[in-house]
Amino acid sequence: MKSIDLDRLKATVEGAIENLIVLDTIDSTHLMARRILEQVDEDGAPLRPTLVVATSQTGGQGRGANTWESPTGGLYVNWLSGNLSTALVPMLPMIAATAAHAALTGVGIDEVRIKWPNDLLIGDKKVAGLLIHCRHTEQVLATIGFGVNIACTPRIAGAPPIHPPTCILDALPDVEATESACRVLMNFVAQLESGLEDPQSSVRSWRKNLLHREGDTIAVRVASGDLIRGLFEGVTEEGHVRISTEDGERTLSSGDIIED
Ligand code: BTN
């Protein structure tokens, strides 16, 4: 297993963000980010732009009830901000996915697609995922979690997933793991910042890079467990998926596209 050199990662990112926390291993950078946001909220103190980075997690969190397998050889990141406008919050999944897409294409991978809402695929395999959490109290506190398989292809327990995992080094075997992690991380932070400055262009890019095209047959598993089948009709301004079913058009704000 190729591992990522923590000191080189730290040296590369220092200077790109005010507050940087780099750890060898942690339960979950997402959980740590949530703990920081709770504390900031309690103290009522401003939150400096912060990045929590780890090279392995013992309790990685995925979307919904999923776990995120986080062995050595992956990059596990949470970006935290305390000064976002409320209007940006619904756009965060799209802005984050665009930043992740640009971070991956920026290291030379072709064929990266965004599977609605914000999974990152190379071909039909999943290379990265995003997990977003916001707290709205006096200030909008937000954290964006980004997990990327750099040099590891995690084993997924249970039934084979419809998009089996892959990693960056599968696509770019001649690239060094640490070099790739440094570039992905720097690209991600820079692209996130520019996406927040110009959200409309980020959302346009998100639409353009979506995996599904109008007319594709899809099935979406929604929170109730129901499966909604139909034709993909595109996405709304808010990034919700439009699907035409036998019973008419439905708009879904969340769910997993599990068949196509
Ligand atoms: C998904 O596709 O289900 C979302 C995966 C998000 C994983 C990242 S890794 C960094 C951060 N820490 C976590 O525990 N989860 C997110």
Side-chain angles (χ1 to χ4, degrees), residues 80-116:
L80 294 81
S81 169
N83 64 357
L84 292 180
S85 77
T86 319
L88 274 180
V89 170
M91 295 178 176
L92 283 182
M94 297 180 272
I95 294 171
T98 297
H101 181 275
L104 297 170
T105 53
V107 294
I109 307 175
D110 301 327
E111 312 254 325
V112 183
R113 286 281 174 271
I114 300 169
K115 184 187 163 196
W116 181 87

Side-chain angles (χ1 to χ4, degrees), residues 28-30 57 60-63 68 77-78 119 126 130 146-147:
S28 151
T29 57
H30 171 78
Q57 299 183 123
Q61 313 274 303
R63 284 198 301 130
W68 183 256
V77 178
N78 267 79
D119 284 344
K126 181 161 170 174
L130 291 152
F146 179 39

Side-chain angles (χ1 to χ4, degrees), residues 182-256:
C182 292
R183 289 177 58 198
V184 167
L185 185 53
M186 290 298 285
N187 287 348
F188 180 65
V189 173
Q191 293 292 332
L192 207 47
E193 284 167 1
S194 67
L196 292 165
E197 299 257 303
D198 185 359
Q200 295 307 338
S201 119
S202 178
V203 168
R204 275 197 299 279
S205 179
W206 176 79
R207 282 173 185 274
K208 195 179 87 191
N209 291 309
L210 282 175
L211 174 70
H212 291 102
R213 296 281 158 236
E214 236 174 274
D216 286 354
T217 306
I218 57 168
V220 185
R221 172 89 62 206
V222 292
S224 63
D226 289 350
L227 201 56
I228 318 283
R229 289 178 196 279
L231 299 183
F232 181 77
E233 296 290 355
V235 285
T236 65
E237 287 290 301
E238 300 80 20
H240 301 170
V241 75
R242 291 170 46 224
I243 174 167
S244 75
T245 73
E246 282 182 348
D247 304 322
E249 186 169 309
R250 300 271 308 263
T251 300
L252 306 174
S253 60
S254 63
D256 278 316

